[in-house]
């Protein structure tokens, strides 16, 4: 008769305990005490060997049912169970407390970027010999789930693919006596202090499979012994090796493995997050955003301009990343920090930190590209594709069709012969599936567009921040479809972030990721047939989802009156990243100038040219003609 998984895992824990205790009886003085940590109960064994070395071991004797029933994961690894348990969401007070910690960490990061002194220490790899052992240091395959995640995010090719020989699996354990900062020999340590990680320089990533710091193990030892926990300073000076913090250990090994490319570090991934505080904050965010604890990849994505992002930065799994940015500001340079959280059937909560370099386009919620490329002086980044003459003609045919539709709309408007199919939406319609963030008094982060608009013929009103509003809407919530059905399958990568400036009749688009395109990408990743445009519109996206509808809805609200709204004249695209558009721009630049680099005023085309028909608007930035 098969044994119930709950009892099977309990038997395993007891068997491990008995076997280990027998070994300890042979060679050590020992004592036992009980411990309870989160949902786990067990026995703490402290042993003293003939040479007076003291070690502590934790042996679980019971597992929560929610853990024991997860048969797809090995829960006993190195004498302790995984803590993959669906936590109850944190309270509002706990969330605010985490956000306050995140605010402090974020301010420290900004101070470090500004050149303020930090307490960073440099360690050579040999420093790991003081109290630490490398239990594993070998090439290995990256876990499949993370290999798939980075494939989706980065689409690496050639020598950038994280094959086995390019992935370093390093496991370090604090299982030896050490010399502390005071030069004293310390024989008491905990073999539970360990960092197990994959170092992948070819994709600038570190994947953490386990992190238990010596600091936390010391605190736990005092708690279990019912003794007052020493101060952080005393622990750092006396009870742990000088090289002990996760950020320092990780950077030391990363520097060794990555060599000359160490400063390119960008991604820090946490696999199967075990920290209870982090789990509860993530559960709070999942419950607020999705009303669920199961939020599979791509999950939720936050910048540090959001409350959620700051709260996650303030968790134990966020502070380590903050510490690396603070201590290594000189090496890494200024970065924009983003975090993605999602759940896995086998690994529980996963977290991915993206330390976005200034010249990289970030992903996800609130994407104002604050650190713009000097687009007007050089090509933003190498083109993935080059347009051919056939591509040009295909786009031109699409432009012809769009131009004909424009003319029919004009004729329809003048004759009133037939009803327009255009839908009208109120600003309240954005509450269906979208989160909205308004920032008044904001302009793009350099003065390029001020200069451009100041030099337009007939422009008499200066572009100023006081007259501009940055509005970002992100597809972050469940929604009701056109068919009246509830749909909880949304994608935080879909968003529109734009500057609305009624005083000069202009909109500057900073980011444009449509829900329809994200839905198509989702089906493409799953290698499933892509639904028709009509089916996507009816079943998979909110009724208000197209860029033109969302933009016009917000524009009318910001303009304040129909008369002002109807004077919309300029639509500018800032830092274009769409590969098709950029490939076509490069094709035209080379045709007329023989180069990819054409600074302002650039090239301009009307709709009576092939080039204009391709773009359907003027070139360099998008401008409608003065109304007739």
């Amino acid at each position: 008769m098969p044994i119930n998984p709950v009892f099977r895992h309990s038997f395993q824990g007891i068997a491990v305990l008995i076997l280990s205790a027998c070994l300890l009886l042979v060679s050590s003085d020992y004592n036992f005490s009980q411990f309870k940590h989160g949902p786990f109960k067990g026995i703490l064994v402290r042993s003293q060997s003939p040479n007076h070395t003291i070690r502590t071991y934790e042996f679980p004797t019971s597992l929560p049912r929610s853990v024991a029933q997860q048969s797809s994961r090995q829960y006993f690894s190195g004498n302790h169970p995984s803590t993959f348990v669906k936590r109850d969401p944190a309270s509002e007070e706990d969330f605010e407390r985490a956000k306050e910690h995140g605010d402090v960490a974020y301010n420290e990061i900004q101070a470090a970027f500004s050149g303020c002194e930090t307490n960073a220490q440099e360690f050579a790899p040999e420093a790991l010999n003081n109290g630490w052992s490398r239990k594993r240091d070998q090439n290995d395959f990256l876990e499949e789930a993370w290999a798939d995640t980075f494939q989706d995010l980065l689409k690496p090719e050639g020598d950038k693919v994280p094959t086995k020989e390019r992935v370093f699996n390093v496991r370090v354990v604090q299982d030896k006596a050490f010399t502390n900062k005071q030069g004293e020999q310390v024989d008491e340590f905990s073999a539970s202090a360990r960092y197990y990680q994959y170092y992948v320089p070819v994709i600038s990533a570190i994947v953490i499979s386990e992190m238990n710091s010596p600091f936390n193990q010391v605190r736990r030892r005092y708690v279990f012994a019912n003794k007052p926990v020493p101060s952080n300073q005393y622990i750092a000076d006396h009870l742990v090796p000088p090289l002990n913090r996760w950020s320092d250990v990780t950077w030391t090994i990363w520097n060794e493995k990555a060599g000359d490319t160490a400063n390119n570090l960008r991604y820090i991934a946490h696999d199967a997050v075990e920290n209870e505080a982090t789990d509860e904050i993530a559960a709070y965010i999942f419950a607020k955003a999705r009303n669920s604890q199961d939020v599979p990849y791509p999950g939720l994505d936050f910048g540090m301009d959001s409350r959620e992002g700051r709260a996650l930065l303030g968790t134990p799994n966020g502070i380590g990343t903050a510490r690396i940015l603070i201590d290594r500001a000189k090496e890494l340079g200024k970065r924009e920090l983003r975090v993605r959280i999602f759940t896995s059937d086998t690994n529980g909560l996963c977290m991915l930190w993206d330390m976005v370099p200034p010249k990289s386009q970030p992903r996800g919620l609130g994407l104002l590209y604050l650190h713009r490329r000097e687009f007007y002086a050089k090509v933003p980044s190498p083109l993935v594709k080059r347009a051919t003459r056939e591509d040009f003609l295909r786009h031109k045919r699409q432009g012809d069709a769009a131009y004909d539709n424009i003319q029919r709309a004009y004729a329809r408007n003048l004759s009133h012969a037939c009803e327009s199919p255009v839908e009208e939406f109120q600003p309240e319609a954005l509450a269906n599936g979208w989160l909205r963030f308004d920032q008044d008094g904001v302009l793009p982060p350099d003065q390029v567009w001020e200069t451009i608009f100041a030099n337009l013929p007939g422009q008499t009103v200066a572009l100023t921040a006081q007259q501009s509003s940055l509005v970002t809407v992100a597809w972050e919530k469940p929604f009701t479809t056109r068919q009246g059905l509830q749909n909880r399958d949304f994608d935080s990568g879909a968003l529109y972030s734009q500057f609305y400036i009624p005083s000069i009749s202009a909109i500057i688009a900073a980011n444009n990721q449509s829900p329809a395109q994200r839905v198509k990408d989702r089906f493409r990743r799953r290698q499933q047939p892509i639904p028709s445009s009509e089916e996507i519109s009816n079943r998979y996206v909110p009724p208000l989802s197209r860029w033109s509808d969302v933009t016009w809805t917000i524009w009318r609200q910001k303009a304040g009156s129909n008369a002002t709204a109807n004077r919309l004249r300029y639509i500018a695209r800032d830092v274009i990243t769409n590969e098709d558009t950029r490939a076509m721009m490069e094709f035209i630049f080379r045709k007329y100038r023989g180069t990819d680099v054409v600074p302002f005023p650039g090239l301009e085309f009307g709709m009576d040219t092939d080039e204009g028909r391709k773009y359907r608007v003027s070139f360099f930035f998008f401008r409608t003609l003065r109304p007739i």
Side-chain angles (χ1 to χ4, degrees):
M1 183 178 71
I3 300 175
N4 185 295
V6 175
F7 297 114
R8 181 172 65 245
H9 284 289
S10 296
F11 293 157
Q12 286 177 324
I14 294 170
V16 171
L17 171 62
I18 294 172
L19 175 60
S20 300
C22 291
L23 293 175
L24 291 170
L25 284 168
V26 174
S27 59
S28 307
D29 296 328
Y30 62 91
N31 61 69
F32 295 99
S33 60
Q34 291 186 338
F35 79 85
K36 184 177 186 299
H37 179 63
F40 300 100
K41 296 179 181 179
I43 294 177
L44 180 72
V45 181
R46 303 182 76 249
S47 70
Q48 183 168 345
S49 63
N51 64 359
H52 303 291
T53 298
I54 297 175
R55 295 181 172 87
T56 61
Y57 306 85
E58 296 165 18
F59 300 104
T61 57
S62 68
L63 287 174
R65 179 177 296 271
S66 57
V67 172
Q69 289 178 338
Q70 298 289 331
S71 59
S72 60
R73 184 169 173 84
Q74 176 64 45
Y75 287 103
F76 288 90
S77 172
N79 298 339
H80 70 280
S82 162
T83 55
F84 170 31
V85 175
K86 291 181 181 178
R87 310 282 188 187
D88 291 330
S91 65
E92 189 72 36
E93 293 75 18
D94 289 339
F95 178 84
E96 290 299 328
R97 191 177 303 112
K99 181 185 174 297
E100 290 172 6
H101 292 325
D103 290 339
V104 172
Y106 183 77
N107 291 337
E108 289 188 26
I109 292 171
Q110 300 309 309
F113 288 160
S114 300
C116 296
E117 288 295 323
T118 67
N119 296 322
Q121 291 181 272
E122 295 295 334
F123 295 94
E126 295 74 31
L128 281 168
N129 296 332
N130 184 21
W132 297 89
S133 295
R134 293 203 188 199
K135 297 299 185 183
R136 180 176 296 178
D137 188 346
Q138 64 188 41
N139 294 109
D140 205 347
F141 290 105
L142 190 59
E143 184 178 296
E144 184 177 1
W146 282 108
D148 291 344
T149 298
F150 285 114
Q151 179 64 35
D152 176 64
L153 283 173
L154 308 177
K155 298 177 175 56
E157 297 179 349
D159 59 1
K160 295 298 183 181
V161 176
T163 54
K164 179 178 179 179
E165 62 272 15
R166 298 174 183 143
V167 177
F168 303 95
N169 183 353
V170 182
R171 298 183 175 187
V172 293
V173 178
Q174 193 212 338
D175 63 352
K176 298 191 298 188
F178 59 91
T179 303
N180 65 21
K181 286 186 177 180
Q182 306 300 317
E184 303 162 339
Q185 184 75 10
V186 180
D187 295 326
E188 186 169 6
F189 54 86
S190 173
S192 294
R194 63 188 68 189
Y195 301 124
Y196 292 176
Q197 304 183 134
Y198 295 88
Y199 297 82
V200 198
V202 292
I203 56 172
S204 305
I206 296 169
V207 178
I208 304 163
S209 55
E210 188 168 346
M211 57 187 301
N212 290 312
S213 73
F215 248 83
N216 285 339
Q217 296 306 315
V218 169
R219 293 191 188 101
R220 291 176 69 182
R221 189 164 70 228
Y222 276 81
V223 169
F224 295 154
N226 292 319
K227 294 180 179 179
V229 178
S231 68
N232 287 348
Q233 189 62 53
Y234 185 86
I235 294 175
D237 289 342
H238 296 276
L239 303 180
V240 295
L243 177 54
N244 67 82
R245 292 192 308 183
W246 172 84
S247 55
D248 290 332
V249 173
T250 298
W251 181 260
T252 299
I253 300 174
W254 170 257
N255 211 25
E256 172 192 340
K257 298 300 183 184
D260 293 340
T261 64
N263 295 351
N264 295 337
L265 176 61
R266 175 166 177 178
Y267 300 101
I268 295 177
H270 294 259
D271 182 46
V273 172
E274 298 181 344
N275 184 274
E276 186 173 352
T278 304
D279 282 344
E280 290 177 353
I281 295 298
Y284 175 95
I285 295 170
F286 286 147
K288 290 285 187 180
R290 297 284 179 90
N291 194 29
S292 172
Q293 292 305 300
D294 292 312
V295 183
Y297 181 82
L300 303 178
D301 183 47
F302 302 101
M304 294 304 105
D305 55 349
S306 69
R307 287 166 48 79
E308 295 84 354
R310 292 290 184 91
L312 291 166
L313 184 64
T315 65
N317 292 77
I319 291 298
T321 299
R323 194 74 253 168
I324 278 188
L325 283 172
I326 294 166
D327 290 347
R328 306 301 160 189
K330 186 181 299 183
E331 292 90 342
L332 297 174
K334 192 169 184 179
R335 303 290 186 98
E336 283 293 312
L337 187 59
R338 305 195 61 78
V339 60
R340 182 188 299 271
I341 54 174
F342 55 95
T343 58
S344 162
D345 289 340
T346 57
N347 294 23
L349 174 65
C350 297
M351 178 181 285
L352 177 62
W353 292 95
D354 184 357
M355 301 179 290
V356 186
K359 294 185 178 181
S360 297
Q361 177 69 13
R363 304 165 178 265
L365 184 60
L367 288 189
L368 169 58
Y369 192 7
L370 291 176
H371 300 286
R372 299 177 59 252
R373 304 178 183 89
E374 293 299 324
F375 179 75
Y376 313 105
K378 60 183 179 181
V379 178
S381 63
L383 286 167
V384 174
K385 60 189 294 185
R386 298 283 184 179
T388 64
R389 179 67 181 172
E390 289 72 24
D391 293 329
F392 177 85
L393 293 176
R394 175 167 49 83
H395 284 288
K396 194 255 179 189
R397 288 192 294 271
Q398 294 172 353
D400 289 340
Y403 184 78
D404 291 342
N405 286 336
I406 292 171
Q407 301 310 309
R408 279 195 291 271
Y410 289 159
R412 186 166 55 231
N413 192 43
L414 291 173
S415 66
H416 303 286
C418 56
E419 188 174 342
S420 170
V422 175
E423 293 182 85
E424 294 292 340
F425 295 93
Q426 297 302 316
E428 294 76 25
L430 283 167
N432 185 23
W434 297 90
L435 284 179
R436 175 171 172 171
F437 305 86
D438 288 50
Q439 295 175 268
D440 295 328
V442 179
L443 280 177
D446 56 31
Q447 297 181 341
V448 170
W449 288 108
E450 291 95 312
T451 302
I452 291 170
F453 281 105
N455 285 280
L456 289 177
Q459 184 62 262
T460 58
V461 179
L463 172 58
T464 63
Q466 289 76 14
Q467 301 159 336
S468 173
S469 296
L470 171 63
V471 181
T472 300
V473 291
W475 189 24
E476 280 279 355
K477 297 191 299 183
F479 60 96
T480 303
T481 68
R482 290 181 183 272
Q483 298 174 338
L485 302 176
Q486 283 292 314
N487 192 329
R488 295 185 176 276
D489 198 2
F490 51 89
D491 188 331
S492 60
L495 73 147
Y496 303 122
S497 187
Q498 302 178 124
F499 299 88
Y500 295 83
I501 317 170
S503 62
I504 60 171
S505 305
I507 296 170
I508 302 176
N511 209 291
N512 177 10
Q513 302 283 337
S514 74
Q517 186 58 51
R518 300 295 292 191
V519 169
K520 292 176 183 177
D521 291 343
R522 184 194 312 157
F523 278 87
R524 194 173 290 114
R525 284 197 305 271
R526 296 172 180 173
Q527 297 183 338
Q528 297 174 342
I530 298 175
S532 66
S533 296
E534 183 177 3
E535 187 178 5
I536 291 175
S537 177
N538 289 333
R539 295 182 54 190
Y540 294 102
V541 298
L544 177 54
S545 65
R546 292 192 308 182
W547 175 86
S548 55
D549 291 331
V550 172
T551 299
W552 181 255
T553 300
I554 299 173
W555 169 256
R556 280 195 314 173
Q557 182 186 28
K558 292 296 182 182
S561 68
N562 286 337
T564 303
N566 294 346
R567 287 198 290 268
L568 175 63
R569 180 173 181 185
Y570 303 105
I571 296 178
R573 299 282 187 180
D574 191 40
V575 191
I576 293 171
T577 58
N578 182 275
E579 285 296 334
D580 284 337
T581 304
R582 286 178 52 198
M584 200 54 53
M585 292 170 66
E586 184 264 352
F587 181 91
I588 297 173
F589 280 148
R590 286 190 173 278
K591 176 181 177 181
Y592 283 89
R593 297 289 176 85
T595 177
D596 295 349
V597 182
V598 181
F600 182 78
L603 304 176
E604 184 171 351
F605 303 98
M607 293 305 102
D608 55 347
T609 65
D610 286 351
E611 291 79 4
R613 287 292 182 93
K614 187 278 165 214
Y615 277 101
R616 307 191 295 277
V617 283
S618 182
F619 198 59
F620 183 79
F621 70 101
F622 295 59
R623 185 177 70 183
T624 61
L625 296 177
R626 184 179 299 279
I628 298 174

